[in-house]
Amino acid sequence: MSLRIKLYNSLRINYDSNYGYYAGSLNLWNQILWNFIFPGRLFHRIVGNTIFRKKYNKFYYNKNDTIDFKNIFTTFNNDGAVILNNYFSEQEIENLKKIYSEEIKELKKIEEKKSESITLPLKKDLIKFWLDENLIGLLKNMSSSNILARNYPLMTYHTNFDDQLSSKDKFLKNYRSKFADDWHVDHANLFNLHVLLEDINENDMCMEYIPGSHKKLNQTYLYSDEEIRKLKTKIKKCYGKKGTIYIHYGNTIHRMKTVHKTTRLQLHFEFTSKTNILINSNLIAKCLSSNFDLNNLNKFETEICAGLFPPIAKKGYSLINNKYFPSNPNIT
Ligand SMILES: [Fe+2]
Protein backbone atom coordinates (compact mmCIF):
# COMPACT_ATOMS: atom_id res chain seq x y z
CA MET A 1 0.00 0.00 0.00
CA SER A 2 1.43 3.36 -1.01
CA LEU A 3 2.57 5.95 1.49
CA ARG A 4 -0.18 8.26 0.28
CA ILE A 5 -2.89 5.64 0.97
CA LYS A 6 -1.38 4.90 4.39
CA LEU A 7 -1.31 8.60 5.19
CA TYR A 8 -4.83 8.97 3.88
CA ASN A 9 -6.07 6.08 5.98
CA SER A 10 -4.60 7.73 9.05
CA LEU A 11 -6.50 10.95 8.20
CA ARG A 12 -9.85 9.45 7.34
CA ILE A 13 -12.82 10.29 9.44
CA ASN A 14 -15.41 7.58 8.96
CA TYR A 15 -14.22 3.99 9.01
CA ASP A 16 -17.56 2.60 7.80
CA SER A 17 -17.31 4.38 4.47
CA ASN A 18 -13.53 4.49 3.89
CA TYR A 19 -11.82 1.15 3.39
CA GLY A 20 -9.06 -0.23 1.17
CA TYR A 21 -8.78 1.74 -2.04
CA TYR A 22 -12.09 3.44 -1.27
CA ALA A 23 -10.28 6.12 0.66
CA GLY A 24 -11.97 9.14 -0.96
CA SER A 25 -13.79 11.19 1.64
CA LEU A 26 -16.45 13.87 1.24
CA ASN A 27 -15.80 15.25 4.70
CA LEU A 28 -14.91 18.94 4.24
CA TRP A 29 -12.07 19.08 6.79
CA ASN A 30 -10.59 15.89 5.46
CA GLN A 31 -10.65 17.32 1.94
CA ILE A 32 -9.13 20.64 3.02
CA LEU A 33 -6.33 18.86 4.88
CA TRP A 34 -5.67 16.50 1.98
CA ASN A 35 -5.50 19.36 -0.55
CA PHE A 36 -3.19 21.25 1.79
CA ILE A 37 -0.76 18.30 1.98
CA PHE A 38 -1.03 17.44 -1.75
CA PRO A 39 -1.94 20.72 -3.50
CA GLY A 40 -1.07 19.54 -7.06
CA ARG A 41 -4.64 18.90 -8.22
CA LEU A 42 -5.87 22.17 -6.80
CA PHE A 43 -2.95 24.00 -8.40
CA HIS A 44 -3.76 22.49 -11.81
CA ARG A 45 -7.41 23.48 -11.45
CA ILE A 46 -6.39 27.05 -10.67
CA VAL A 47 -4.05 27.09 -13.72
CA GLY A 48 -6.84 25.71 -15.94
CA ASN A 49 -9.40 28.11 -14.42
CA THR A 50 -11.73 25.21 -13.69
CA ILE A 51 -12.10 25.86 -9.97
CA PHE A 52 -13.95 29.15 -9.82
CA ARG A 53 -17.16 29.50 -11.77
CA LYS A 54 -17.87 33.05 -12.83
CA LYS A 55 -20.11 35.19 -14.97
CA TYR A 56 -18.46 35.76 -18.29
CA ASN A 57 -18.35 39.03 -20.13
CA LYS A 58 -18.00 36.95 -23.22
CA PHE A 59 -20.24 33.93 -23.52
CA TYR A 60 -18.99 31.50 -26.16
CA TYR A 61 -21.72 30.18 -28.44
CA ASN A 62 -23.03 30.59 -31.93
CA LYS A 63 -25.77 33.21 -31.67
CA ASN A 64 -27.55 31.83 -34.74
CA ASP A 65 -28.11 28.50 -33.07
CA THR A 66 -31.65 27.65 -31.99
CA ILE A 67 -30.45 25.65 -28.98
CA ASP A 68 -30.46 27.52 -25.64
CA PHE A 69 -26.79 27.16 -24.72
CA LYS A 70 -27.07 29.56 -21.79
CA ASN A 71 -29.56 27.22 -20.18
CA ILE A 72 -27.35 24.21 -20.95
CA PHE A 73 -24.40 26.05 -19.40
CA THR A 74 -26.41 26.70 -16.21
CA THR A 75 -27.08 22.98 -15.82
CA PHE A 76 -23.45 22.10 -16.58
CA ASN A 77 -22.24 24.75 -14.14
CA ASN A 78 -24.57 23.52 -11.37
CA ASP A 79 -24.18 19.78 -11.92
CA GLY A 80 -20.66 19.34 -13.33
CA ALA A 81 -22.16 17.31 -16.18
CA VAL A 82 -24.90 17.71 -18.74
CA ILE A 83 -26.87 15.46 -21.10
CA LEU A 84 -28.09 16.80 -24.45
CA ASN A 85 -30.74 14.49 -25.85
CA ASN A 86 -30.60 13.87 -29.60
CA TYR A 87 -28.01 16.63 -30.12
CA PHE A 88 -27.05 14.87 -33.33
CA SER A 89 -29.82 13.40 -35.47
CA GLU A 90 -30.28 9.67 -36.04
CA GLN A 91 -29.48 10.29 -39.71
CA GLU A 92 -26.16 11.99 -38.87
CA ILE A 93 -25.21 9.09 -36.59
CA GLU A 94 -26.13 6.44 -39.17
CA ASN A 95 -24.07 8.25 -41.83
CA LEU A 96 -21.06 8.36 -39.52
CA LYS A 97 -21.48 4.67 -38.63
CA LYS A 98 -21.45 3.83 -42.32
CA ILE A 99 -18.21 5.78 -42.80
CA TYR A 100 -16.59 3.98 -39.85
CA SER A 101 -18.24 0.59 -40.41
CA GLU A 102 -14.86 -1.21 -40.54
CA GLU A 103 -13.84 0.19 -37.16
CA ILE A 104 -17.20 -0.77 -35.65
CA LYS A 105 -16.82 -4.31 -37.00
CA GLU A 106 -13.35 -4.47 -35.46
CA LEU A 107 -14.58 -3.17 -32.10
CA LYS A 108 -17.40 -5.68 -31.92
CA LYS A 109 -15.05 -8.60 -32.48
CA ILE A 110 -13.78 -8.38 -28.92
CA GLU A 111 -15.87 -11.39 -27.72
CA GLU A 112 -14.30 -12.24 -24.35
CA LYS A 113 -12.92 -8.77 -23.66
CA LYS A 114 -14.99 -6.18 -21.88
CA SER A 115 -13.79 -2.97 -23.42
CA GLU A 116 -12.06 -1.79 -26.55
CA SER A 117 -11.16 1.59 -28.01
CA ILE A 118 -10.03 2.58 -31.48
CA THR A 119 -8.35 5.85 -32.43
CA LEU A 120 -10.30 7.01 -35.46
CA PRO A 121 -8.62 8.04 -38.69
CA LEU A 122 -9.71 11.61 -39.29
CA LYS A 123 -12.34 12.15 -41.96
CA LYS A 124 -14.22 15.31 -42.83
CA ASP A 125 -17.50 13.95 -41.42
CA LEU A 126 -15.94 13.24 -38.02
CA ILE A 127 -14.73 16.82 -37.54
CA LYS A 128 -18.23 18.24 -37.02
CA PHE A 129 -18.78 15.73 -34.18
CA TRP A 130 -15.36 16.25 -32.61
CA LEU A 131 -14.88 20.00 -32.98
CA ASP A 132 -18.42 21.38 -32.65
CA GLU A 133 -18.09 25.10 -32.04
CA ASN A 134 -20.99 25.34 -29.60
CA LEU A 135 -19.93 22.35 -27.51
CA ILE A 136 -16.38 23.61 -27.28
CA GLY A 137 -17.80 27.05 -26.45
CA LEU A 138 -19.61 25.37 -23.55
CA LEU A 139 -16.29 24.01 -22.27
CA LYS A 140 -14.69 27.44 -22.62
CA ASN A 141 -17.46 28.91 -20.50
CA MET A 142 -16.67 26.30 -17.85
CA SER A 143 -12.94 27.04 -17.81
CA SER A 144 -10.81 29.31 -19.96
CA SER A 145 -10.73 30.37 -23.59
CA ASN A 146 -7.72 28.11 -23.93
CA ILE A 147 -9.59 24.83 -24.45
CA LEU A 148 -7.65 22.23 -26.40
CA ALA A 149 -8.30 18.71 -27.61
CA ARG A 150 -6.50 16.53 -25.07
CA ASN A 151 -6.61 13.23 -26.93
CA TYR A 152 -7.20 11.94 -30.46
CA PRO A 153 -10.83 11.00 -31.25
CA LEU A 154 -11.81 7.55 -30.05
CA MET A 155 -14.64 5.11 -30.62
CA THR A 156 -15.24 2.82 -27.64
CA TYR A 157 -17.28 -0.31 -27.08
CA HIS A 158 -18.21 -1.91 -23.76
CA THR A 159 -19.70 -5.39 -23.41
CA ASN A 160 -19.55 -8.62 -21.38
CA PHE A 161 -19.73 -6.89 -18.00
CA ASP A 162 -21.47 -8.47 -15.05
CA ASP A 163 -24.00 -6.58 -12.95
CA GLN A 164 -22.44 -3.91 -10.76
CA LEU A 165 -20.87 -5.11 -7.50
CA SER A 166 -21.02 -2.83 -4.48
CA SER A 167 -17.74 -1.27 -3.32
CA LYS A 168 -18.00 -3.25 -0.06
CA ASP A 169 -18.36 -6.53 -1.98
CA LYS A 170 -15.33 -5.70 -4.10
CA PHE A 171 -13.34 -4.85 -1.00
CA LEU A 172 -14.35 -8.06 0.80
CA LYS A 173 -13.52 -10.14 -2.30
CA ASN A 174 -10.19 -8.29 -2.63
CA TYR A 175 -11.21 -7.44 -6.20
CA ARG A 176 -9.98 -4.30 -7.88
CA SER A 177 -11.63 -3.45 -11.18
CA LYS A 178 -9.45 -2.35 -14.10
CA PHE A 179 -12.38 -0.36 -15.43
CA ALA A 180 -14.04 2.91 -14.45
CA ASP A 181 -16.91 1.21 -12.58
CA ASP A 182 -16.02 2.68 -9.16
CA TRP A 183 -16.92 6.21 -8.08
CA HIS A 184 -13.98 8.41 -9.03
CA VAL A 185 -12.85 11.72 -10.48
CA ASP A 186 -10.71 12.26 -13.59
CA HIS A 187 -7.79 14.54 -14.35
CA ALA A 188 -8.21 18.04 -12.86
CA ASN A 189 -8.89 19.98 -16.08
CA LEU A 190 -10.38 17.24 -18.22
CA PHE A 191 -13.72 17.51 -20.01
CA ASN A 192 -15.03 14.26 -21.50
CA LEU A 193 -17.60 14.41 -24.26
CA HIS A 194 -19.39 11.24 -25.36
CA VAL A 195 -21.71 10.73 -28.32
CA LEU A 196 -23.99 7.69 -28.14
CA LEU A 197 -23.92 5.69 -31.38
CA GLU A 198 -26.55 3.20 -30.21
CA ASP A 199 -29.63 3.71 -28.04
CA ILE A 200 -29.14 3.18 -24.30
CA ASN A 201 -32.08 2.71 -21.94
CA GLU A 202 -32.28 3.77 -18.32
CA ASN A 203 -31.56 0.27 -17.07
CA ASP A 204 -28.65 -0.44 -19.43
CA MET A 205 -24.96 0.01 -18.77
CA CYS A 206 -24.31 3.75 -18.61
CA MET A 207 -22.30 6.45 -16.92
CA GLU A 208 -23.68 7.79 -13.64
CA TYR A 209 -22.65 10.99 -11.89
CA ILE A 210 -23.29 12.92 -8.72
CA PRO A 211 -24.68 16.37 -9.60
CA GLY A 212 -22.82 19.17 -7.82
CA SER A 213 -19.92 16.97 -6.71
CA HIS A 214 -17.52 18.98 -8.93
CA LYS A 215 -17.71 21.85 -6.44
CA LYS A 216 -15.88 19.82 -3.81
CA LEU A 217 -12.14 19.54 -3.23
CA ASN A 218 -12.14 15.96 -4.48
CA GLN A 219 -9.22 13.61 -4.18
CA THR A 220 -8.19 11.07 -6.77
CA TYR A 221 -9.06 8.06 -4.59
CA LEU A 222 -12.07 5.88 -5.17
CA TYR A 223 -15.25 6.69 -3.25
CA SER A 224 -17.26 3.95 -1.59
CA ASP A 225 -21.02 3.54 -2.14
CA GLU A 226 -21.50 4.39 1.55
CA GLU A 227 -19.61 7.67 1.15
CA ILE A 228 -21.73 8.59 -1.88
CA ARG A 229 -24.98 7.69 -0.05
CA LYS A 230 -24.08 10.14 2.72
CA LEU A 231 -24.42 12.98 0.21
CA LYS A 232 -28.14 12.19 -0.20
CA THR A 233 -27.90 13.48 -3.78
CA LYS A 234 -29.91 11.83 -6.53
CA ILE A 235 -27.57 10.00 -8.90
CA LYS A 236 -28.02 10.94 -12.57
CA LYS A 237 -27.70 8.45 -15.44
CA CYS A 238 -26.35 9.21 -18.91
CA TYR A 239 -28.62 7.39 -21.34
CA GLY A 240 -30.67 8.23 -24.40
CA LYS A 241 -31.21 7.65 -28.07
CA LYS A 242 -28.29 7.52 -30.52
CA GLY A 243 -27.08 11.06 -31.13
CA THR A 244 -27.49 11.98 -27.46
CA ILE A 245 -24.34 13.42 -25.93
CA TYR A 246 -23.17 13.72 -22.35
CA ILE A 247 -20.32 15.82 -21.08
CA HIS A 248 -18.65 15.81 -17.69
CA TYR A 249 -15.95 17.80 -16.03
CA GLY A 250 -13.04 15.87 -14.46
CA ASN A 251 -13.80 16.87 -10.88
CA THR A 252 -17.36 15.51 -11.03
CA ILE A 253 -17.67 12.18 -9.21
CA HIS A 254 -18.85 9.53 -11.67
CA ARG A 255 -18.63 5.86 -12.61
CA MET A 256 -19.64 3.38 -15.28
CA LYS A 257 -22.63 1.44 -13.96
CA THR A 258 -22.25 -2.04 -15.41
CA VAL A 259 -25.25 -4.17 -16.33
CA HIS A 260 -25.02 -7.75 -17.56
CA LYS A 261 -25.88 -8.38 -21.22
CA THR A 262 -26.01 -4.72 -22.18
CA THR A 263 -23.52 -2.88 -24.39
CA ARG A 264 -22.45 0.66 -25.16
CA LEU A 265 -20.97 2.03 -28.39
CA GLN A 266 -19.93 5.66 -28.40
CA LEU A 267 -17.55 8.34 -29.56
CA HIS A 268 -15.19 9.47 -26.84
CA PHE A 269 -13.63 12.93 -27.06
CA GLU A 270 -11.39 14.54 -24.45
CA PHE A 271 -10.64 18.22 -24.00
CA THR A 272 -8.56 20.06 -21.46
CA SER A 273 -8.10 23.54 -20.17
CA LYS A 274 -4.37 24.03 -20.73
CA THR A 275 -2.82 21.00 -19.00
CA ASN A 276 -2.11 17.30 -19.65
CA ILE A 277 -2.34 16.99 -23.45
CA LEU A 278 -1.67 13.39 -24.55
CA ILE A 279 0.50 14.02 -27.61
CA ASN A 280 1.55 10.73 -29.20
CA SER A 281 3.41 10.28 -32.50
CA ASN A 282 1.95 6.81 -33.17
CA LEU A 283 -1.57 8.13 -32.73
CA ILE A 284 -0.85 11.10 -35.00
CA ALA A 285 0.08 8.56 -37.69
CA LYS A 286 -3.11 6.58 -36.99
CA CYS A 287 -5.24 9.72 -37.04
CA LEU A 288 -3.86 10.84 -40.40
CA SER A 289 -3.80 7.36 -41.94
CA SER A 290 -6.74 8.10 -44.23
CA ASN A 291 -4.71 10.91 -45.85
CA PHE A 292 -6.59 13.61 -44.00
CA ASP A 293 -5.01 16.98 -44.71
CA LEU A 294 -4.75 19.10 -41.57
CA ASN A 295 -4.72 22.18 -43.81
CA ASN A 296 -8.41 21.50 -44.41
CA LEU A 297 -9.21 22.42 -40.81
CA ASN A 298 -10.46 25.96 -40.36
CA LYS A 299 -8.77 28.44 -37.98
CA PHE A 300 -10.96 27.51 -35.00
CA GLU A 301 -10.43 23.76 -35.51
CA THR A 302 -6.68 24.18 -35.99
CA GLU A 303 -6.41 26.09 -32.72
CA ILE A 304 -8.31 23.43 -30.77
CA CYS A 305 -6.04 20.68 -32.15
CA ALA A 306 -2.80 22.65 -31.74
CA GLY A 307 -1.62 20.52 -28.81
CA LEU A 308 -2.16 17.20 -30.61
CA PHE A 309 -0.76 18.29 -33.97
CA PRO A 310 1.99 20.79 -33.13
CA PRO A 311 2.22 23.58 -35.70
CA ILE A 312 5.17 23.82 -38.08
CA ALA A 313 7.66 26.31 -36.61
CA LYS A 314 9.37 28.58 -39.12
CA LYS A 315 12.86 27.59 -37.99
CA GLY A 316 12.00 24.26 -36.42
CA TYR A 317 12.19 23.41 -32.74
CA SER A 318 15.01 23.29 -30.22
CA LEU A 319 15.09 20.45 -27.73
CA ILE A 320 16.49 21.74 -24.45
CA ASN A 321 16.37 19.57 -21.33
CA ASN A 322 13.79 17.35 -23.07
CA LYS A 323 11.50 20.32 -23.65
CA TYR A 324 10.56 21.65 -27.09
CA PHE A 325 10.85 25.35 -27.87
CA PRO A 326 10.33 26.99 -31.29
CA SER A 327 13.79 28.07 -32.46
CA ASN A 328 14.42 31.78 -32.78
CA PRO A 329 13.42 32.68 -36.38
CA ASN A 330 15.99 35.50 -36.44
CA ILE A 331 18.95 33.15 -35.98
CA THR A 332 19.96 31.30 -39.11
FE1 LIG B 1 -13.68 8.70 -15.41
Side-chain angles (χ1 to χ4, degrees):
M1 197 171 267
S2 73
L3 178 66
R4 280 176 63 147
I5 286 242
K6 278 185 190 156
L7 176 62
Y8 195 90
N9 284 347
S10 67
L11 293 174
R12 64 193 180 178
I13 306 295
N14 187 326
Y15 290 81
D16 293 330
S17 58
N18 306 119
Y19 39 80
Y21 291 105
Y22 301 92
S25 170
L26 294 162
N27 177 281
L28 178 64
W29 290 109
N30 188 294
Q31 292 196 325
I32 289 173
L33 187 55
W34 183 252
N35 277 274
F36 182 74
I37 299 170
F38 297 107
R41 182 176 177 85
L42 195 55
F43 175 72
H44 269 252
R45 291 182 67 204
I46 292 168
V47 169
N49 200 17
T50 54
I51 189 159
F52 302 113
R53 303 280 80 75
K54 56 188 179 186
K55 287 192 174 123
Y56 289 87
N57 295 327
K58 184 176 181 188
F59 192 85
Y60 297 93
Y61 76 116
N62 182 350
K63 291 187 177 58
N64 297 325
D65 207 293
T66 50
I67 300 172
D68 185 356
F69 276 93
K70 290 202 171 174
N71 194 26
I72 291 166
F73 168 72
T74 303
T75 304
F76 197 2
N77 198 15
N78 290 338
D79 290 359
V82 67
I83 303 162
L84 308 183
N85 285 309
N86 306 100
Y87 185 78
F88 295 109
S89 71
E90 188 176 331
Q91 189 60 47
E92 287 173 301
I93 296 293
E94 287 308 320
N95 285 345
L96 192 79
K97 281 163 72 176
K98 242 181 244 162
I99 293 166
Y100 287 101
S101 58
E102 285 305 310
E103 283 79 5
I104 293 174
K105 219 189 280 172
E106 197 59 37
L107 277 175
K108 294 200 170 183
K109 265 191 206 158
I110 64 177
E111 293 171 4
E112 293 304 308
K113 278 169 77 181
K114 292 181 171 176
S115 167
E116 192 64 278
S117 297
I118 284 185
T119 299
L120 295 173
L122 286 187
K123 292 178 186 176
K124 192 170 154 267
D125 299 79
L126 180 64
I127 300 299
K128 75 168 184 181
F129 288 85
W130 185 30
L131 304 174
D132 180 294
E133 206 166 332
N134 276 325
L135 297 178
I136 289 171
L138 201 57
L139 308 185
K140 287 185 179 184
N141 293 322
M142 285 290 286
S143 54
S144 70
S145 60
N146 195 1
I147 277 284
L148 296 164
R150 183 213 189 211
N151 203 356
Y152 305 90
L154 292 166
M155 190 182 282
T156 63
Y157 183 60
H158 293 97
T159 184
N160 294 326
F161 280 89
D162 294 323
D163 285 336
Q164 185 86 22
L165 278 180
S166 70
S167 55
K168 189 54 83 63
D169 278 347
K170 286 181 188 164
F171 171 66
L172 294 174
K173 289 177 182 174
N174 202 17
Y175 166 71
R176 185 156 192 212
S177 173
K178 297 190 297 241
F179 303 96
D181 52 330
D182 287 303
W183 293 111
H184 68 283
V185 292
D186 295 332
H187 180 70
N189 292 325
L190 173 65
F191 291 93
N192 272 341
L193 194 159
H194 297 98
V195 182
L196 294 181
L197 298 177
E198 290 174 347
D199 297 351
I200 288 188
N201 295 315
E202 189 173 0
N203 297 320
D204 292 344
M205 164 192 294
C206 67
M207 193 188 94
E208 294 182 331
Y209 64 92
I210 312 295
S213 57
H214 65 305
K215 294 173 186 166
K216 296 181 179 293
L217 295 166
N218 293 321
Q219 302 106 339
T220 48
Y221 290 122
L222 302 179
Y223 292 83
S224 69
D225 296 334
E226 293 81 357
E227 196 67 24
I228 296 298
R229 270 198 289 274
K230 278 197 282 183
L231 277 176
K232 295 191 169 73
T233 304
K234 195 171 182 308
I235 295 168
K236 282 201 180 171
K237 289 167 173 271
C238 302
Y239 64 93
K241 295 281 179 201
K242 62 181 89 167
T244 293
I245 65 174
Y246 58 99
I247 314 171
H248 76 274
Y249 162 45
N251 202 47
T252 307
I253 300 176
H254 63 285
R255 72 171 178 185
M256 175 175 65
K257 168 88 184 284
T258 64
V259 179
H260 187 49
K261 288 188 174 166
T262 64
T263 62
R264 186 175 62 171
L265 179 72
Q266 59 187 6
L267 299 173
H268 175 108
F269 304 139
E270 298 177 11
F271 298 89
T272 178
S273 182
K274 300 183 180 178
T275 62
N276 197 235
I277 295 163
L278 303 175
I279 184 164
N280 181 315
S281 301
N282 286 330
L283 296 183
I284 291 176
K286 182 95 194 279
C287 234
L288 302 180
S289 61
S290 58
N291 294 326
F292 185 83
D293 185 351
L294 288 173
N295 291 318
N296 289 337
L297 296 177
N298 65 31
K299 188 170 174 281
F300 169 81
E301 294 160 350
T302 304
E303 280 171 7
I304 300 298
C305 294
L308 296 175
F309 306 110
I312 297 166
K314 206 172 172 191
K315 289 289 177 185
Y317 287 87
S318 304
L319 186 62
I320 302 166
N321 293 334
N322 284 330
K323 289 177 186 153
Y324 286 94
F325 300 93
S327 298
N328 187 336
N330 298 319
I331 300 173
T332 55

